Amino acid sequence: MTTFKPKSIFKRGAEDGAWFGLFLSLLFFFSANALSIPLLGHIATLMALCVPVLTFFFLRKGYIQNGFYSTFSEIWTHGIIIFTCGSLIMALTIVIYTNWINPYFIIEQCNIAINAYRSMGNTGTEIAKTLEEVIKQKMLPSPISIATNIISFSVFSGSILSMILASIIKAIYKKRKNDNHLNKTSD
């Protein structure tokens, strides 16, 4: 008789997080180049909308691979690890892109924002002046600080999303776990 040995949630989360990091890196790249190639902006929007779905499939796959015996906290932790590993890969992509591929990316984005705010009228003009002052004083954030903030935001929002999805997965597959358990005991 073979004994079922589930994969560690940390190993599973790191593996899924690597794929998720590639997905997030493509999402960043498409978003960063959306102004020059508008189709990339549409693709990036669709990709962003797919993040909860992709996360659900990763978490569901892990739950099924564990024989429907993962606890809520294990599923949630799996999601947190996916977002942590994925955001680290995306942050590395952002640093490489903003340092060596397009070193003027941050200032270009700030100038685009200034033009957009100026076209809004009085309230936008004040924000545009503030952004111009930020550029003049050389107070723009560094690629590392942007990457660090992205990691923080991604892990936080991914934790909330994973908590919600873990609840949904436990509710959906509760009956299947019970059915699976009954089949094993009747053999």
Side-chain angles (χ1 to χ4, degrees), residues 8-172:
S8 160
I9 58 170
F10 299 104
K11 183 175 181 181
R12 187 181 304 121
E15 290 171 357
D16 293 342
W19 290 109
F20 191 60
L22 292 174
F23 179 84
L24 292 176
S25 295
L26 278 175
L27 174 59
F28 165 74
F29 183 76
F30 290 165
S31 298
N33 293 290
L35 287 177
S36 57
I37 307 171
L39 177 63
L40 293 180
H42 298 299
I43 294 171
T45 302
L46 288 174
M47 289 177 74
L49 292 172
C50 287
V51 167
V53 176
L54 185 60
T55 306
F56 176 82
F57 284 120
F58 280 135
L59 297 179
R60 183 187 72 153
K61 179 187 78 168
Y63 185 60
I64 292 169
Q65 286 176 345
N66 199 27
F68 302 99
Y69 287 102
S70 298
T71 63
F72 167 82
S73 60
E74 288 172 327
I75 299 169
W76 186 16
T77 303
H78 179 202
I80 293 169
I81 295 167
I82 290 170
F83 274 89
T84 301
C85 294
S87 64
L88 287 171
I89 292 169
M90 182 180 63
L92 178 64
T93 302
I94 290 169
V95 169
I96 290 169
Y97 184 83
T98 55
N99 273 328
W100 295 289
I101 296 173
N102 187 358
Y104 299 106
F105 176 75
I106 296 170
I107 198 160
E108 287 170 357
Q109 295 303 309
C110 198
N111 285 326
I112 289 168
I114 289 169
N115 291 334
Y117 282 123
R118 286 216 180 277
S119 68
M120 294 172 81
N122 289 339
T123 56
T125 304
E126 288 302 315
I127 297 171
K129 286 179 183 176
T130 303
L131 288 173
E132 287 171 339
E133 190 63 28
V134 165
I135 291 173
K136 191 172 16 172
Q137 297 293 328
K138 298 185 182 194
M139 295 172 49
L140 286 173
S142 69
I144 295 290
S145 67
I146 291 172
T148 304
N149 287 327
I150 294 248
I151 291 169
S152 299
F153 174 75
S154 179
V155 172
F156 175 75
S157 60
S159 174
I160 301 298
L161 177 63
S162 297
M163 179 176 53
I164 294 166
L165 292 176
S167 300
I168 292 170
I169 288 169
K170 288 297 280 187
I172 290 173

